[in-house]
C-alpha cells in the first residue's frame, strides 16, 4: 500500500474564503513543568464531540493557556466523550467548525494543512467506494452567497508516525509531561511502516498532526470520481 500527503491545490481554479474556529477547545499549557514551554495547538480536532453535557462549558470557549493541573482536569471531563482512538493535546478542538464562507469550492477543501472539508455529495461517493472509516461532521458555516454547498469536516484520528531517519539526529525526546516534540515537521517525510494503521484510508499523523495522510485507495477513488480541490504528494515509507 502506498500513502500520500494531502494538501490544498493552490493551482486550482477555485477561489474561496473561509474564516472561523471550532466551537470548543482545551486550553494550552502554561509553563509546562516538564519542558518549561507554554504551548497549545488546534491541529487535533474532533468535530463529532458534543461538549454540552460538560459542567462549566464556558471554560472550553476561550482560547488561553492554563497550568498543567487545570489542563489535566479539563481533559478528564472530555475523555468519556471522545471517539475511539482519539488522543488529546493542549489546544485540541471539539464540536462543529463555526464561521463564514464564500466563493467556489472543489469537492475537497484543505482549509489548513490539518483541516479537511468535503462536499456532502463527494463524501457519499467516497463512502460508496468502500473507503474505510470516513466520517463527515456538520459545520456551522454561514455562506454569503446563493446556492451554497454543504461542507462537512472529516474527522481524522491521529495514527502513524514518521520514521526516525527523517528527523534530526540530535533531537530531544518528547516532553514526558505534556508530550511536546519541539521540532518542525521535516520537508522530506518518511513514514514509519510499523506505525501505519491498516484500518483507515484517511488519518493524521500522531507525532505531526499537521500532516493528513491518505492511502492509495483514497487517492485512486478521488481520481476515478473526479474529486478535486487538493493535491496528493507520495510519501515514502520504511
Amino acid at each position: 500500500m502506498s500513502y500520500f500527503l494531502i494538501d490544498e491545490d493552490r493551482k486550482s481554479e477555485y477561489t474561496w474564503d473561509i474564516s472561523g474556529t471550532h466551537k470548543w477547545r482545551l486550553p494550552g499549557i502554561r509553563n509546562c513543568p516538564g519542558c518549561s514551554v507554554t504551548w497549545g495547538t488546534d491541529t487535533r480536532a474532533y468535530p463529532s464531540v458534543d461538549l454540552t453535557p460538560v459542567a462549566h462549558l464556558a471554560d472550553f470557549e476561550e482560547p488561553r493557556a492554563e497550568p498543567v493541573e487545570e489542563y489535566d482536569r479539563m481533559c478528564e471531563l472530555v475523555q468519556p466523550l471522545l471517539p475511539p482512538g482519539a488522543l488529546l493535546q493542549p489546544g485540541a478542538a471539539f464540536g462543529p467548525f463555526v464561521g463564514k464562507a464564500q466563493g467556489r469550492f472543489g469537492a475537497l477543501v484543505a482549509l489548513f494543512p490539518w483541516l479537511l472539508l468535503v462536499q456532502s455529495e463527494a463524501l457519499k461517493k467516497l463512502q460508496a467506494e468502500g473507503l474505510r472509516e470516513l466520517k463527515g461532521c456538520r459545520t456551522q458555516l454561514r455562506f454569503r452567497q446563493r446556492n451554497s454547498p454543504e461542507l462537512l469536516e472529516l474527522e481524522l484520528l491521529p495514527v502513524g508516525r514518521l520514521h526516525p531517519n527523517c528527523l534530526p539526529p540530535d533531537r530531544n525526546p518528547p516532553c514526558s509531561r505534556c508530550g511536546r516534540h519541539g521540532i518542525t515537521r521535516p520537508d522530506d517525510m518518511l513514514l514509519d511502516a510499523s506505525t501505519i494503521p491498516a484500518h483507515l484510508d484517511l488519518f493524521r499523523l500522531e507525532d505531526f498532526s499537521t500532516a493528513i495522510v491518505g492511502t492509495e485507495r483514497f487517492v485512486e477513488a478521488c481520481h476515478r470520481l473526479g474529486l478535486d480541490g487538493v493535491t496528493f504528494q507520495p510519501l515514502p515509507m520504511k
Side-chain angles (χ1 to χ4, degrees), residues 171-198:
R171 67 190 181 280
N172 292 321
C175 175
S176 60
R177 187 62 179 89
C178 69
R180 180 178 177 272
H181 286 272
I183 56 176
T184 303
R185 193 182 90 185
D187 292 331
D188 298 320
M189 293 190 291
L190 176 66
L191 297 178
D192 185 340
S194 66
T195 69
I196 300 303

Side-chain angles (χ1 to χ4, degrees), residues 5 26 28 31 33 48 75 83 93-94 99 103 111 116 126 131 134 137 147 149 154 162 168 170 173 195 206 222:
L5 179 70
L26 286 172
N31 299 328
S48 71
C75 284
F94 313 97
L111 177 55
L116 188 60
L126 288 169
L131 295 177
L134 291 187
C137 302
N147 302 319
L154 288 166
L162 293 185
D170 58 348
T195 69
E206 178 183 342
C222 288

Side-chain angles (χ1 to χ4, degrees), residues 6-93:
I6 297 174
D7 203 352
E8 176 188 358
D9 183 0
R10 293 173 177 81
K11 295 181 180 179
S12 79
E13 61 183 11
Y14 299 108
T15 56
W16 49 265
D17 179 61
I18 300 175
S19 61
T21 187
H22 288 94
K23 195 166 187 177
W24 304 292
R25 69 184 61 238
L26 286 172
I29 291 178
R30 184 170 67 242
N31 299 328
C32 171
C35 62
S36 302
V37 174
T38 296
W39 74 286
T41 173
D42 64 353
T43 55
R44 289 182 190 170
Y46 303 104
S48 71
V49 174
D50 180 6
L51 293 191
T52 52
V54 174
H56 306 295
L57 187 59
D59 290 347
F60 293 87
E61 296 174 354
E62 179 186 355
R64 66 195 187 283
E66 294 280 6
V68 69
E69 294 80 11
E70 175 64 5
Y71 167 76
D72 288 341
R73 183 190 72 82
M74 294 177 69
C75 284
E76 290 179 3
L77 296 175
V78 169
Q79 199 72 48
L81 304 174
L82 297 179
L87 299 174
L88 296 178
Q89 68 180 12

Side-chain angles (χ1 to χ4, degrees), residues 119-139:
Q119 295 205 34
S120 58
E121 288 302 314
L123 179 59
K124 290 177 183 176
K125 292 178 181 179
L126 288 169
Q127 290 170 332
E129 291 285 314
L131 295 177
R132 298 162 296 185
E133 303 293 331
L134 291 187
K135 184 177 182 179
C137 302
R138 291 187 179 277
T139 59

Side-chain angles (χ1 to χ4, degrees), residues 5-6 113-114 185 189 203-205 208-213 235:
L5 179 70
I6 297 174
W114 59 89
R185 193 182 90 185
M189 293 190 291
F203 54 95
R204 71 174 77 251
L205 293 182
F208 292 92
S209 297
T210 58
I212 297 177
V213 178
L235 287 174

